[in-house]
Amino acid sequence: MSVSKLQKEAWHPYFDAMSRMLTGKTAEIAVDSLKLGHQIEAEWLPLYGLVYDPKSDVFEVVMEGLDHMIRHPQEVYIDIDATGLNSVEVVDEDDVHQIISLRSPLMLPQSLH
């Protein structure tokens, strides 16, 4: 397992390229903060896209029946190992950690590692 931080200028192109490969993937969203504790926002729903819009400064998780918006994200981490992408963690301006975990790893081309 290797967790790495993505630089903000890479968010839009990285997730644009990666979202094209999500067909058939399911994911869970967990929200963690000191104020809220640990909560499951979505449990194993089909995942359609992960998108960062730099103009509105919003990171969007598009799932079946859910459009989860993270406003003013500050940091993004990806967890990749030999089997592929396992999770994405987005930290917002209020230090709320939103972890998108894939049920099965997403194989990524070397250019997205």
Side-chain angles (χ1 to χ4, degrees), residues 3-87:
V3 176
S4 54
K5 181 178 180 178
L6 288 180
Q7 296 304 310
K8 194 165 192 164
E9 60 273 2
W11 296 355
H12 179 73
Y14 183 88
F15 290 107
D16 187 50
M18 189 258 288
S19 286
R20 295 184 200 126
M21 298 177 262
L22 289 174
T23 302
K25 291 296 179 187
T26 57
E28 173 180 85
I29 301 173
V31 179
D32 285 322
S33 76
L34 291 174
K35 192 176 188 180
L36 302 171
H38 179 82
Q39 298 179 3
I40 301 297
E41 175 76 19
E43 193 169 0
W44 307 123
L45 295 174
L47 178 62
Y48 300 133
L50 298 170
V51 180
Y52 175 67
D53 180 2
K55 290 181 183 123
S56 59
D57 196 25
V58 172
F59 190 93
E60 183 177 4
V61 183
V62 183
M63 303 175 87
E64 185 173 283
L66 178 68
D67 197 10
H68 184 77
M69 310 287 265
I70 304 166
R71 300 190 191 294
H72 310 293
Q74 302 299 302
E75 298 176 327
V76 173
Y77 298 91
I78 54 173
D79 174 5
I80 298 177
D81 63 19
T83 61
L85 178 72
N86 295 298
S87 66

